[in-house]
Amino acid sequence: MRHLTLVLLLAILIHQGCLHFHVEAGDGFIRARGVQFLLNGSPYYANGFNAYWLMYTASDPSQRSKVSAAFREAASHGLTVARTWAFSDGGYSPLQYSPGSYNEQMFKGLDFVIAEARRYGIKLILSLANNYDSFGGKKQYVNWARSRGQHLTSDDDFFRHPVVKGYYKNHIKTVLYRYNSFTGIHYKDDPAIMAWELMNEPRCTSDPSGRTIQAWITEMASFVKSIDRNHLLEAGLEGFYGPSTPRRNRLNPGLKIGTDFIANNRIPGIDFATAHAYPDQWLSSSSDQSQLSFLNNWLDTHIQDAQNILRKPILIAEFGKSWKDPGFSTYQRDLVFNTVYYKIYSSARRGGAAAGGLFWQLLTEGMGNFRDGYEIVLGQPSSTANVIAQQAHKLHQIRKIFQRMRNVERWKRARAARARRGRWQGGNKGKRIGN
């Protein structure tokens, strides 16, 4: 009965012109059209996970089975998208030893990750830099410039200084032009990659006006698109509102970090918006009920603004609840997951802007060193794993219904075309054509 109701709702939306189907080449790339993702012309929903550790783990051939297991377990639960790091700058076992100098063994790890994702039908979002110190981050880029004689006073000079920006652009170019040693495909030509992310959670606290981050995203989005127009691009934002929408700032959890959800995502090269949701971190001294109330409001407002102001899809690119929280229960974690998933589903079934969610984070068996409190191991039965699989099923049903509707539209157009041809041929019977 629920599926019948959904079919009727979608049929009404199509009839009213709220949903439009585009016929596109079946090249396997995810596109953004209006407020929806499309795959080969049909709406696409990203129910997935974060797994920052994939490249690092796969760089050791003896550990690659863990990457394969993670993708296998994810695919068996209906997950379709993974977000992971395509950076590791300086320090222990890096991808980039120093500006322009790369670790081939680590790059082969990333090659393997992309090849395995393709094998299991999972699309990747690859993040190109980190705001934080782990895996190098913007601090490492600034330190590289300092070591070469540049006078820099802040880690935020990552966003401003031409030498540092040059290092980062070189990294973008190196990753996008990388030839995958497993698939034989350059990254920029590989449909297994859904999107590039400029940075994981960019923040510029030294300029709360937002002008620095706005200029940086504009410049870097243009640079990425000058190399690769096949893939989607997003900025990596957490979703905090800024100076362009002062009345929205009260929704922020008391953080002023120099980003602006509306202005940053309006930049032409940015194809879709992102928001992260960690009420247990942002409102750690509040009750579970207050955190859930915040989460509801946070999601409603961002989905609404993506729909009505940005007119772009939005992905809830990180969310979760830690078992390290005081008074943690699996029931409370399931409430957080169900809240996020319900908001996404409610929007998606109306053809709205919410295009999916990626929980933080997926692990597999034997990865105790990577546990951070938020981990989900799908190989271990749990109520949360069931919640995740149920959401995947519901979004898959919406996609199937959209595909049926699209096929009906195609059939109607083909029938109309045949009727026109028949009338034309009937009208020309017995007429002499030519000399």
Side-chain angles (χ1 to χ4, degrees):
M1 180 61 75
R2 279 181 305 190
H3 287 163
L4 178 60
T5 305
L6 183 53
V7 170
L8 292 172
L9 174 60
L10 294 176
I12 291 165
L13 290 170
I14 291 167
H15 179 72
Q16 292 176 343
C18 300
L19 301 176
H20 304 282
F21 296 113
H22 299 262
V23 178
E24 298 191 15
D27 58 9
F29 286 98
I30 308 292
R31 316 282 184 195
R33 292 289 180 272
V35 298
Q36 289 186 311
F37 291 140
L38 299 180
L39 174 60
N40 301 333
S42 293
Y44 181 83
Y45 300 99
N47 195 41
F49 59 94
N50 285 271
Y52 72 90
W53 49 268
L54 292 171
M55 175 182 69
Y56 174 80
T57 301
S59 68
D60 179 352
S62 72
Q63 296 298 304
R64 285 177 182 166
S65 60
K66 290 187 172 73
V67 172
S68 301
F71 282 141
R72 184 171 58 251
E73 289 163 8
S76 73
H77 283 72
L79 300 183
T80 55
V81 173
R83 175 173 171 261
T84 192
W85 298 168
F87 62 78
S88 180
D89 304 304
Y92 172 73
S93 196
L95 172 62
Q96 189 174 195
Y97 290 117
S98 60
S101 175
Y102 285 85
N103 178 351
E104 181 61 19
Q105 190 60 33
M106 191 63 68
F107 241 141
K108 283 182 176 172
L110 188 54
D111 291 347
F112 178 82
V113 168
I114 295 169
E116 282 296 274
R118 169 187 284 266
R119 187 156 78 97
Y120 285 99
I122 290 173
K123 300 286 187 181
L124 295 173
I125 297 174
L126 296 181
S127 189
L128 295 164
N130 202 7
N131 178 70
Y132 309 108
D133 297 352
S134 54
F135 297 94
K138 65 186 182 187
K139 177 191 278 292
Q140 180 62 74
Y141 276 91
V142 169
N143 285 340
W144 280 333
R146 283 187 181 127
S147 71
R148 297 185 180 188
Q150 301 297 321
H151 179 66
L152 303 176
T153 58
S154 162
D155 291 346
D156 286 347
D157 286 333
F158 174 90
F159 301 109
R160 291 184 281 253
H161 198 277
V163 169
V164 181
K165 288 194 289 183
Y167 294 161
Y168 175 67
K169 284 181 178 177
N170 184 70
H171 178 62
I172 290 173
K173 200 186 310 181
T174 302
V175 173
L176 270 58
Y177 279 112
R178 169 72 179 180
Y179 177 84
N180 190 314
S181 58
F182 288 89
T183 65
I185 304 171
H186 291 96
Y187 287 10
K188 71 183 186 67
D189 300 320
D190 194 340
I193 298 166
M194 172 182 170
W196 304 111
E197 178 178 278
L198 290 179
M199 174 177 261
N200 173 49
E201 299 188 342
R203 295 182 172 191
C204 185
T205 53
S206 63
D207 182 8
S209 76
R211 285 189 291 269
T212 297
I213 289 277
Q214 184 77 359
W216 181 80
I217 293 173
T218 302
E219 180 180 349
M220 297 309 166
S222 175
F223 183 74
V224 170
K225 292 294 186 179
S226 73
I227 297 171
D228 178 6
R229 301 199 74 83
N230 285 326
H231 290 103
L232 299 175
L233 178 67
E234 49 101 351
L237 299 170
E238 297 158 272
F240 301 125
Y241 288 95
S244 72
T245 51
R247 282 185 294 181
R248 287 280 196 246
N249 290 350
R250 62 181 175 76
L251 294 168
N252 292 340
L255 297 169
K256 292 184 179 178
I257 59 168
T259 60
D260 187 317
F261 177 73
I262 298 298
N264 297 160
N265 283 307
R266 271 183 161 155
I267 292 168
I270 298 302
D271 297 301
F272 64 97
T274 60
H276 297 181
Y278 288 112
D280 65 335
Q281 288 183 27
W282 298 342
L283 305 173
S284 57
S285 59
S286 299
S287 67
D288 285 334
Q289 191 53 50
S290 296
Q291 291 176 16
L292 268 181
S293 176
F294 168 86
L295 180 61
N296 272 287
N297 202 18
W298 182 255
L299 296 170
D300 284 340
T301 306
H302 283 80
I303 292 169
Q304 223 173 65
D305 288 347
Q307 177 90 28
N308 301 325
I309 300 174
L310 298 174
R311 302 184 192 280
K312 294 180 180 182
I314 182 170
L315 192 63
I316 311 305
E318 288 188 28
F319 69 92
K321 183 169 177 62
S322 173
W323 53 260
K324 296 180 181 179
D325 294 341
F328 169 84
S329 70
T330 306
Y331 172 75
Q332 287 295 335
R333 183 174 67 188
D334 290 352
L335 269 181
V336 168
F337 275 63
N338 274 315
T339 299
V340 174
Y341 286 158
Y342 178 74
K343 297 297 183 185
I344 292 166
Y345 176 74
S346 297
S347 171
R349 71 180 180 179
R350 297 192 302 269
L358 315 177
F359 66 83
W360 184 281
Q361 63 160 332
L362 178 70
L363 294 183
T364 192
E365 301 282 357
M367 297 190 69
N369 291 342
F370 293 87
R371 297 183 69 185
D372 61 358
Y374 290 89
E375 71 279 352
I376 304 290
V377 180
L378 293 175
Q380 298 172 352
S382 70
S383 57
T384 310
N386 292 337
V387 169
I388 291 165
Q390 286 163 11
Q391 175 75 352
H393 176 73
K394 286 159 72 175
L395 292 180
H396 180 65
Q397 290 302 317
I398 294 177
R399 179 166 163 74
K400 274 172 58 178
I401 292 165
F402 271 126
Q403 284 173 325
R404 282 191 217 122
M405 297 292 187
R406 183 166 170 256
N407 290 337
V408 168
E409 290 293 303
R410 281 175 164 171
W411 177 76
K412 285 179 179 176
R413 286 197 297 269
R415 188 176 66 170
R418 281 197 302 271
R420 285 194 298 273
R421 280 199 304 273
R423 286 195 298 271
W424 183 85
Q425 287 167 351
N428 282 294
K429 277 184 182 176
K431 291 183 181 176
R432 185 175 176 182
I433 299 174
N435 294 326

